[in-house]
């Protein structure tokens, strides 16, 4: 298995060449029709970076509450969407709202650089989502990913947590 750091660099370079707009639209439509999304009331999204799948249009869905992660040291907090975001020291847009108890979440949409056939994702290396998912494992999880970044297998550590569903473009 490849070293995770080298793999992240390789996948980030490959991802820059992919059609983010088309992939985002395709994944948005698939998520809107997915039972895990349809049956959820409290959904955590992530604010996309320049090359990530953009799912912000999901917030147009009626009858759902949307939340975003905010990094606090080694932990991730759950903050309600109030439309106000600021760039963090990790260069990620985070909500400007007070955190709530993460146990209210029904669905967590988890960013991924790549995902393998066993639903393990390659994240950015901070471990924030794996630590968070270990604590709040009642919520269903979906990883949106470019179809070109679905792989047979990824290096997996003991602390890595697979997602429940993978939705590819």
């Amino acid at each position: 298995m490849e070293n995770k750091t080298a793999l992240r660099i390789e996948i980030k370079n490959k991802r820059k060449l992919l059609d983010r707009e088309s992939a985002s639209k395709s994944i948005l439509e698939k998520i809107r029709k997915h039972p895990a999304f349809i049956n959820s009331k409290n959904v955590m999204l992530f604010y996309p970076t320049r090359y990530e799948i953009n799912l912000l249009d999901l917030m147009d869905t009626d009858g759902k509450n949307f939340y975003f992660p905010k990094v606090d040291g080694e932990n991730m907090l759950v903050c309600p969407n109030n439309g106000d975001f600021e760039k963090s020291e990790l260069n990620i847009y985070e909500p400007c709202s007070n955190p709530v108890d993460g146990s209210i979440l029904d669905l967590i949409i988890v960013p991924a650089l790549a995902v393998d056939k066993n639903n393990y994702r390659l994240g950015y290396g901070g471990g924030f989502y794996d630590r968070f998912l270990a604590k709040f494992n009642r919520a269903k999880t979906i990883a949106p990913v470019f179809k070109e970044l679905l792989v047979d297998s990824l290096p997996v550590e003991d602390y890595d947590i697979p997602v429940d569903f993978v939705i590819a473009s």
Side-chain angles (χ1 to χ4, degrees):
M1 281 195 233
E2 293 182 60
N3 173 295
K4 279 187 176 182
T5 303
L7 192 56
R8 282 186 185 97
I9 292 167
E10 177 187 328
I11 289 173
K12 282 180 183 178
N13 287 333
K14 184 176 182 179
R15 185 178 69 174
K16 287 178 184 177
L17 306 174
L18 301 176
D19 183 352
R20 177 182 110 140
E21 189 174 328
S22 174
S24 295
K25 283 181 184 177
S26 170
I27 290 172
L28 267 168
E29 290 313 306
K30 291 176 184 178
I31 289 176
R32 286 185 202 276
K33 296 174 185 172
H34 197 283
F37 181 73
I38 292 169
N39 297 321
S40 65
K41 181 164 177 59
N42 297 309
V43 179
M44 188 162 85
L45 295 176
F46 59 88
Y47 202 101
T49 62
R50 182 174 176 189
Y51 298 107
E52 283 181 315
I53 300 293
N54 182 345
L55 301 175
L56 295 179
D57 283 349
L58 285 174
M59 291 189 297
D60 294 343
T61 308
D62 289 335
K64 299 197 185 300
N65 303 310
F66 290 93
Y67 300 84
F68 286 85
K70 182 187 277 188
V71 171
D72 179 35
E74 292 290 307
N75 299 309
M76 209 164 68
L77 305 174
V78 177
C79 298
N81 175 44
N82 65 1
D84 192 12
F85 293 85
E86 64 185 6
K87 248 187 188 178
S88 72
E89 56 191 47
L90 296 174
N91 211 27
I92 297 167
Y93 281 101
E94 294 182 335
C96 299
S97 58
N98 292 322
V100 298
D101 184 350
S103 65
I104 67 165
L105 297 173
D106 302 309
L107 177 65
I108 302 167
I109 299 181
V110 185
L113 288 167
V115 181
D116 72 13
K117 289 182 176 176
N118 295 312
N119 291 5
Y120 282 100
R121 55 181 271 285
L122 181 67
Y124 291 88
F128 294 103
Y129 275 91
D130 288 312
R131 285 190 297 277
F132 184 81
L133 295 175
K135 264 190 352 198
F136 300 105
N137 58 8
R138 181 190 72 80
K140 294 291 182 196
T141 53
I142 292 177
V145 66
F146 292 92
K147 65 180 181 248
E148 296 88 350
L149 301 178
L150 287 171
V151 298
D152 286 336
S153 68
L154 289 168
V156 176
E157 310 292 335
D158 290 341
Y159 52 81
D160 289 332
I161 296 176
V163 293
D164 295 311
F165 307 101
V166 177
I167 298 184
S169 55

